[in-house]
Amino acid sequence: MGVRLSGGVRLFLLFAAHCVGTINIMGVMAFAPAIQRDLGLDTASFGLLVAAYYGAQPLVALPGGWLVDRIGVRAALALSMAGVSISAGFFAVSAGGTMAASLLILAGIAYSLVNPATSVGVVTWFPPDWRSTMMSVKQAGVPAGGLIAAIIAGLAGPDAWRVSAGAVAVAAALAAVLAVVTPGGGAPAVARGPVVVGLLTVLRNRALMRVCLTTFLLNTAQGAFYAYLVLYLVGPAGLSPAVAALIFGATHVVSAIARILWGLLADRVWRGDGPRVLRIIAFASCLGFVGLALGAGLGAPAAAAAALGLGMTIAGFAGVAQGAAATAAPRAQIGAAMGVFMVITPLGSVFGPSIFGGLIGLTGGYLVPYLVLAGVTLVVGVFVLRK
């Protein structure tokens, strides 16, 4: 009973770290009009706030992963959540764009520890035959955080962003305390040796690099999917903004569920073979993007069904992917491996929307761009993950 309880506390800590960190930045987006008004920002300047947060993460992902390998899971998560708490607390009383951007940079740096720390936590605290499932459960904190942020913004009203940021600061502080008091378990396998040598070893890991290339390409498709989904549903699909927003939210719900189901499939059916499940996800995503390409002509229900299908596939791969990356690395280098993973994978979210938007401008519609995304996911399934 005690073992199960401690395992549940550990898993909740990993989930909560993702959830609180996501609420923090998604809350900024959800309260965008009020934040922009109160801080005196134009649209471009507000965009720089978000860019400051996301831009900080890949810059410190490698040293962050190295740090996790040396100080351990609980210390890294306590440090991360303390940073998020400090950032959110001062953001709640910020008076200008420069201060707000600086605080979001701090938040991005702090959150950069979460992925490597939680991945090492899964490997250290849970048996290998549950690795993909536990990775998926803790990753479900990301869409859960997005949903909570949207609910807070909807219920609290547009002017409550300072109160919301203060609440995030308290939640992050509690998560930091939880990290300190969470019972340990397993052998930490702390890394030693020169940093550069360890990093070069990770970069020469062909299995890990194949997973990173896979997630870069899948994240490219995912980034484009979410960036233009509402515009597509309101435009070519002919849905109202309210219905489009509802479908957008529903994709996050099915994404959270699918992450766990894909993890169970990898662990219970194929004994931890994450790449095989990623291949299935890639092929299914290909069909989903073909569905969106044709959905406008087939009618709004078909477009909505394709969007929900992609919520389960292209938006549901993260947990299995992190499990595959962690499995590909030696135990003492998992933090560094996840640092590399978190440098390469998010770049897809930079390239995907930009390329997709450019293709819309060139072709005048969504048919070709969605077929290109179908091709990208097909390449992943046929070539990148081929054994």
Side-chain angles (χ1 to χ4, degrees), residues 11 13 27 43 71 74 92 119 142 159 167 204 240 269 301 354 372 376:
L11 183 58
L13 170 64
T43 302
I71 68 174
R74 294 185 298 163
S119 296
V142 175
D159 297 322
R204 287 195 294 264
S240 69
V269 177
S354 303
V372 169
V376 168

Side-chain angles (χ1 to χ4, degrees), residues 17-35:
H18 279 290
C19 187
V20 173
T22 302
I23 294 172
N24 185 41
I25 185 60
M26 288 298 174
V28 173
M29 298 180 190
F31 287 103
I35 293 174

Side-chain angles (χ1 to χ4, degrees), residues 6 129 161 199 240 311 340:
S6 61
D129 56 345
W161 67 272
L199 177 59
S240 69
V340 172

Side-chain angles (χ1 to χ4, degrees), residues 4-344:
R4 289 185 178 181
L5 179 60
S6 61
V9 172
R10 294 168 192 154
L11 183 58
F12 177 75
L13 170 64
L14 305 183
F15 175 91
H18 279 290
C19 187
V20 173
T22 302
I23 294 172
N24 185 41
I25 185 60
M26 288 298 174
V28 173
M29 298 180 190
F31 287 103
I35 293 174
Q36 182 179 336
R37 179 199 65 213
D38 292 348
L39 298 183
L41 305 173
D42 57 24
T43 302
S45 297
F46 179 82
L48 291 176
L49 289 185
V50 179
Y53 175 86
Y54 285 110
Q57 292 186 28
L59 294 178
V60 296
L62 289 177
W66 172 85
L67 180 64
V68 170
D69 282 334
R70 278 152 179 79
I71 68 174
V73 176
R74 294 185 298 163
L77 288 178
L79 181 62
S80 172
M81 291 294 100
V84 171
S85 179
I86 293 170
S87 170
F90 281 102
F91 188 84
V93 296
S94 58
T98 301
M99 179 180 179
S102 299
L103 291 167
L104 287 177
I105 289 173
L106 172 60
I109 292 172
Y111 188 74
S112 69
L113 294 175
V114 170
N115 272 299
T118 55
S119 296
V120 174
V122 167
V123 173
T124 302
W125 291 339
F126 299 99
D129 56 345
W130 283 98
R131 183 168 296 166
S132 291
T133 303
M134 295 299 102
M135 287 284 187
S136 299
V137 171
K138 64 102 173 172
Q139 278 295 127
V142 175
L147 283 174
I148 292 171
I151 292 171
I152 291 173
L155 295 179
D159 297 322
W161 67 272
R162 295 186 187 275
V163 175
S164 175
V168 170
V170 173
L174 292 174
V177 172
L178 178 62
V180 173
V181 302
T182 293
V190 176
R192 300 292 183 216
V195 178
V196 174
V197 174
L199 177 59
L200 290 177
T201 301
V202 169
L203 292 175
R204 287 195 294 264
N205 186 323
R206 296 183 65 181
L208 174 64
M209 290 300 102
R210 186 174 68 161
V211 173
C212 289
L213 177 59
T214 295
T215 56
F216 166 76
L217 292 173
L218 292 180
N219 212 42
T220 298
Q222 184 193 95
F225 167 64
Y226 271 126
Y228 287 90
L229 178 59
V230 173
L231 292 175
Y232 166 79
L233 292 174
V234 173
L239 296 171
S240 69
V243 174
L246 183 63
I247 294 173
F248 181 82
T251 63
H252 286 281
V253 175
V254 297
S255 169
I257 296 171
R259 291 176 191 224
I260 297 173
L261 294 179
W262 289 122
L264 285 169
L265 184 66
D267 285 335
R268 307 330 307 163
V269 177
W270 283 306
R271 298 181 180 180
D273 190 352
R276 176 181 291 191
V277 175
L278 289 174
R279 198 176 190 192
I280 294 172
I281 291 173
F283 286 133
S285 298
C286 176
L287 295 176
F289 283 121
V290 171
L292 280 186
L294 304 177
L298 297 175
L308 291 174
L310 286 165
M312 297 183 66
T313 52
I314 199 62
F317 73 87
V320 174
Q322 288 197 11
T327 300
R331 185 170 179 178
Q333 295 178 337
I334 290 173
M338 294 311 300
V340 172
F341 181 91
M342 290 309 299
V343 168
I344 297 174

